[in-house]
Amino acid sequence: MAGTLLRKDQLEASLHNEKKLIEDGKLKEDNPLDLSENFNELCEACRRGDLRLCQEMITAGVNINARDRFDYTPLILASLCGHYEVVQLLLESGALCERDTFQGERCLYNALNARIRNLLLSYDYSKSTDPLQPFAAHIASLLTRDTPQTSDILVTSARESFRLHKFVLAARSPYFRKKLSAAPETTSWKIPAAISPQAFGVAIRYVYLGETPSELGGGPGTGFTEDEILEGLDKISKHLEIRSLWDTILESDDRRLSRQRRTEEVENGRSQLEAWFVENVLRYKIIVDTDKADEIKWARDNAIFSDVLLRADDPVAIEVEAFADGLGMPPGGTNGGSNTIPIGPLLPTSGSPSKARAVRKSTIFPVHRAMLLRSDFFLAMFSSRFREAQYTEHLQIISVDYTPEVLEVILKFLYTEKTDIPLDLAIDVLLAADQLFIERLKAKTAVIISTLGNGTMSQFSNERIVGAEAPPGEEVINIYDVVRAGWLTRVPRLEEFGARYLASRLESYIDEEEFADLIRESAGRIQGRQETDSIELLDDIRYYLSERFRLRFEESGLEEMLSETTPQDGSQPGPDSTVALVRELRRTEDIEILGGRENSAHPSAISMLEADLADDEFASDAIKYQILLGKIDKLLDRLKLDA
């Protein structure tokens, strides 16, 4: 162990060399100084705990590992200020917290509490710094995957053969792009004799985002020396126009340079595949009338090397005029439920031209099975003996039960690992990801819902989830749908978010019948429920409601004052006392609050109590807290539930 320690002069020399590499632009600083306005907004959001703004800045591409003029990184600020959810979001987005580094130890030391410190320690270096690793691992796995077979070109040498994918080669190598675009029907290619198979194997692993081996091979029994392999790598990197491969080989001895080069190359590969996806898959998608979608014929030898077609139909349009005539189904009714595309006609076709409904459309996406395999659903489908896995003269069309917009989001993730999901589509994407067994997309979508949908919940705003896409006052996403989606997809993050969101805005929801239905559903989720069983959602709402008011109560000492006995002379506190207001509210049992209305014997509304009785903001909050607890109890009585 002692032999691995550096002397002071060696350490100084190492730091000097590192500084020189940074100055020369060869090595990037882990925490560069950033004085941009967007980065300052991110830092301010981390101080305040504004999840939504943090997510927006991350999506905009702000470097979350940069530092401000005070040498603080966003992760240090969020940890120092005690915002657990923001810390979690930053770590999930690739924020660095590496132990035994200055900034990493500083982040751990400044964490406000043990919960945040344990969260920081739970994110090891590889998990936090390489969020694209699962994407790169899938691309690399295509080289060795035997079932299902997705390769469409065979590359051979005198001694070896490689089953490859044209779309990967075309996306990553300008040489292959030109060759294959001129002859898309090509199914084989021979390696020039001057290039060793070992060198070509290293180059192909690089093209497929695999790790560059530290040992290149060569020597007795291989037919090539190591120098010949290096010479072959130099030639093939020029031949395939992937010069960065040679730079990677040269820097493989320096651990930090090699790690940086690897990160850059994976990001570059992702960008190249994204460009391929946009220029080919999205560009050549077809929009046709639904009744003609099955007539599409797409040849296998196509210019974008697609080997399967995915079809998504527009939602069924409800003919509103028919309801007025008593025809068809009631509003909202379908043959297959409100969240599925029904099978068969919903309504009779109207003979009136004014009532003729628009022709339904379908979107056909030309895609590649190799990328669909990131979904365990498609992996099982293409590995089976079902019709979808069989070879046919023309590309098979596989219908999916999602709208074209949702399917496009899913495909973008599979091809690029990107999750630019509009909030109004987020729940649909979450449910689709759950059905397709795409766990990473499901987790990322849950993060988006619980951050972009969060708004300024840290400040306990009473506004509902509203985004730029919605008309003023209209919700982009329904919190009841969020909670139910969390239950259905088994995502605890959404269940917790729903409870926190409802608790922070309980005044807006407590009197709604759908809130009562949600509580009833939560109670029904316990099989064989007994009277003594609690209601999980309601327990969480009560907890977050108490958290909402707890700090002000603790700081003021209200609970201690409330626990004191009444003065011995029987007198009551003065009319201006906050304590008196709360005591009176607790003592008065004849105030019946049902369905948001007070008993007629007490004409004063809740708003009147707050306006007339409360002489300061704190008194208003104290009364509001008691009223909300009372309403919860009344709701349970009305639902005949004991919790």
Side-chain angles (χ1 to χ4, degrees):
M1 178 65 73
T4 63
L5 298 177
L6 295 178
R7 300 192 308 271
K8 182 180 179 181
D9 60 312
Q10 292 174 319
L11 181 60
E12 290 175 347
S14 175
L15 292 173
H16 175 76
N17 292 336
E18 180 180 308
K19 183 179 179 181
K20 185 71 167 58
L21 288 171
I22 292 174
E23 291 174 351
D24 293 343
K26 295 181 179 179
L27 183 65
K28 289 184 179 179
E29 193 175 356
D30 285 338
N31 305 106
L33 180 65
D34 190 341
L35 301 178
S36 66
E37 183 177 346
N38 279 352
F39 182 73
N40 287 335
E41 283 192 40
L42 174 61
C43 290
E44 186 59 33
C46 291
R47 288 188 183 94
R48 296 196 313 266
D50 191 334
L51 267 174
R52 179 170 188 158
L53 184 55
C54 287
Q55 179 68 61
E56 290 174 352
M57 291 295 103
I58 292 171
T59 303
V62 176
N63 183 1
I64 58 177
N65 287 310
R67 54 186 170 85
D68 63 12
R69 59 196 179 98
F70 302 109
D71 276 347
Y72 284 107
T73 66
L75 187 60
I76 291 176
L77 290 170
S79 302
L80 181 63
C81 296
H83 302 304
Y84 182 90
E85 290 80 10
V86 176
V87 172
Q88 188 176 39
L89 174 64
L90 292 170
L91 290 171
E92 290 171 346
S93 302
L96 290 170
C97 183
E98 186 178 10
R99 299 199 70 177
D100 303 324
T101 65
F102 175 71
Q103 294 289 10
E105 292 292 344
R106 187 176 173 211
C107 188
L108 289 166
Y109 179 78
N110 285 297
L112 184 65
N113 52 52
R115 185 178 181 223
I116 291 178
R117 188 173 297 108
N118 291 335
L119 176 63
L120 293 169
L121 291 171
S122 69
Y123 272 73
D124 58 43
Y125 184 77
S126 60
K127 183 176 180 181
S128 62
T129 60
D130 198 0
L132 289 178
Q133 180 55 36
F135 174 76
H138 173 76
I139 301 296
S141 72
L142 297 177
L143 285 172
T144 56
R145 186 185 292 275
D146 294 326
T147 304
Q149 183 59 250
T150 57
S151 64
D152 52 7
I153 184 171
L154 182 66
V155 179
T156 59
S157 68
R159 304 175 62 177
E160 284 191 63
S161 61
F162 302 86
R163 295 187 176 275
L164 306 178
H165 304 76
K166 296 178 190 177
F167 81 96
V168 176
L169 298 177
R172 293 278 286 142
S173 166
Y175 168 82
F176 277 117
R177 187 180 308 124
K178 288 180 285 189
K179 287 290 185 182
L180 293 172
S181 63
E185 72 281 359
T186 302
T187 58
S188 62
W189 187 71
K190 192 170 180 61
I191 303 171
I195 298 176
S196 70
Q198 292 92 332
F200 184 77
V202 171
I204 287 301
R205 280 197 294 273
Y206 178 81
V207 167
Y208 276 71
L209 303 182
E211 296 273 3
T212 303
S214 55
E215 298 292 336
L216 298 177
T222 64
F224 296 90
T225 65
E226 187 169 346
D227 289 341
E228 288 174 330
I229 293 176
L230 283 171
E231 183 180 351
L233 281 169
D234 187 29
K235 288 180 180 179
I236 202 166
S237 64
K238 295 175 182 177
H239 189 70
L240 301 182
E241 300 178 50
I242 47 173
R243 190 62 192 176
S244 53
L245 166 62
W246 184 245
D247 296 333
T248 300
I249 297 296
L250 293 178
E251 294 169 356
S252 60
D253 291 336
D254 187 304
R255 181 182 63 86
R256 191 169 174 187
L257 276 175
S258 178
R259 186 174 69 189
Q260 177 181 296
R261 173 70 68 175
R262 165 70 179 164
T263 302
E264 291 175 349
E265 193 50 46
V266 170
E267 175 59 37
N268 181 53
R270 187 208 60 77
S271 298
Q272 290 173 325
L273 284 167
E274 180 182 13
W276 173 268
F277 172 73
V278 172
E279 295 168 6
N280 294 275
V281 175
L282 295 186
R283 180 182 176 185
Y284 292 106
K285 69 182 180 182
I286 303 173
I287 300 177
V288 297
D289 295 347
T290 298
D291 57 359
K292 298 180 180 178
D294 291 332
E295 300 174 9
I296 297 292
K297 302 295 182 185
W298 197 300
R300 286 197 169 273
D301 292 332
N302 56 80
I304 64 173
F305 322 119
S306 171
D307 57 0
V308 69
L309 304 176
L310 290 186
R311 166 185 163 183
D313 301 334
D314 287 343
V316 175
I318 302 298
E319 189 176 354
V320 179
E321 292 87 350
F323 297 132
D325 299 333
L327 300 175
M329 298 174 63
T334 67
N335 289 357
S338 59
N339 293 324
T340 61
I341 298 175
I343 300 174
L346 281 178
L347 299 169
T349 303
S350 171
S352 170
S354 62
K355 295 183 180 180
R357 61 177 111 173
V359 177
R360 191 179 179 199
K361 298 290 184 179
S362 296
T363 304
I364 310 292
F365 293 89
V367 294
H368 307 84
R369 297 186 185 214
M371 298 309 296
L372 297 185
L373 296 184
R374 295 191 68 195
S375 159
D376 287 345
F377 175 86
F378 285 115
L379 175 60
M381 174 186 287
F382 297 140
S383 301
S384 70
R385 296 184 179 181
F386 294 135
R387 178 179 60 83
E388 292 83 357
Q390 305 307 311
Y391 183 89
T392 54
E393 180 182 358
H394 295 92
L395 300 188
Q396 293 209 42
I397 301 177
I398 300 176
S399 296
V400 294
D401 245 358
Y402 317 120
T403 65
E405 295 79 11
V406 170
L407 180 57
E408 185 170 322
V409 169
I410 293 171
L411 291 175
K412 185 174 184 180
F413 174 79
L414 295 178
Y415 276 84
T416 71
E417 194 75 10
K418 282 195 170 182
T419 51
D420 302 330
I421 305 173
L423 193 55
D424 57 336
L425 291 179
I427 290 182
D428 292 332
V429 172
L430 177 79
L431 296 173
D434 184 62
Q435 292 171 358
L436 295 174
F437 301 101
I438 311 175
E439 292 302 317
R440 281 181 62 80
L441 177 58
K442 188 166 80 169
K444 287 175 177 288
T445 307
V447 170
I448 288 173
I449 293 173
S450 59
T451 52
L452 291 183
N454 186 82
T456 54
M457 195 166 70
S458 297
Q459 286 77 40
F460 298 114
S461 167
N462 284 324
E463 298 178 0
R464 295 187 176 208
I465 304 179
V466 176
E469 304 91 338
E474 183 177 328
E475 293 179 279
V476 173
I477 201 168
N478 187 309
I479 191 61
Y480 301 125
D481 291 342
V482 171
V483 175
R484 292 185 175 105
W487 290 340
L488 186 62
T489 58
R490 304 165 305 282
V491 180
R493 186 187 194 116
L494 289 184
E495 298 180 39
E496 178 187 344
F497 164 70
R500 292 177 66 243
Y501 187 92
L502 287 169
S504 67
R505 299 157 173 83
L506 194 55
E507 301 88 326
S508 301
Y509 293 97
I510 186 69
D511 296 322
E512 294 183 353
E513 190 58 35
E514 194 168 357
F515 179 81
D517 292 340
L518 194 70
I519 298 300
R520 189 183 290 111
E521 288 178 39
S522 180
R525 294 180 72 236
I526 303 176
Q527 295 183 357
R529 187 175 187 279
Q530 304 297 319
E531 290 186 1
T532 55
D533 289 335
S534 62
I535 300 174
E536 185 177 6
L537 176 62
L538 198 56
D539 287 347
D540 291 341
I541 290 175
R542 280 172 167 161
Y543 171 77
Y544 290 118
L545 189 64
S546 67
E547 286 290 295
R548 173 179 166 183
F549 294 100
R550 177 178 57 83
L551 288 178
R552 297 196 66 181
F553 286 179
E554 286 183 352
E555 291 170 1
S556 66
L558 177 65
E559 289 299 328
E560 288 79 358
M561 288 187 285
L562 288 172
S563 63
E564 294 175 358
T565 58
T566 305
Q568 294 183 357
D569 58 3
S571 63
Q572 298 295 326
D576 295 331
S577 168
T578 298
V579 176
L581 291 174
V582 180
R583 275 209 183 108
E584 179 64 18
L585 193 64
R586 285 182 173 178
R587 185 183 62 81
T588 307
E589 297 179 354
D590 57 350
I591 297 181
E592 297 292 339
I593 305 169
L594 295 173
R597 302 184 303 275
E598 284 203 284
N599 189 292
S600 58
H602 297 275
S604 300
I606 298 293
S607 58
M608 292 297 294
L609 279 173
E610 293 179 335
D612 298 338
L613 297 180
D615 54 0
D616 58 36
E617 182 182 354
F618 173 72
S620 174
D621 283 347
I623 293 173
K624 187 184 298 183
Y625 179 53
Q626 295 300 320
I627 289 173
L628 291 174
L629 291 179
K631 283 199 168 193
I632 290 175
D633 292 339
K634 297 295 181 184
L635 175 63
L636 290 174
D637 290 342
R638 181 163 67 88
L639 297 177
K640 295 181 172 56
L641 294 173
D642 186 8

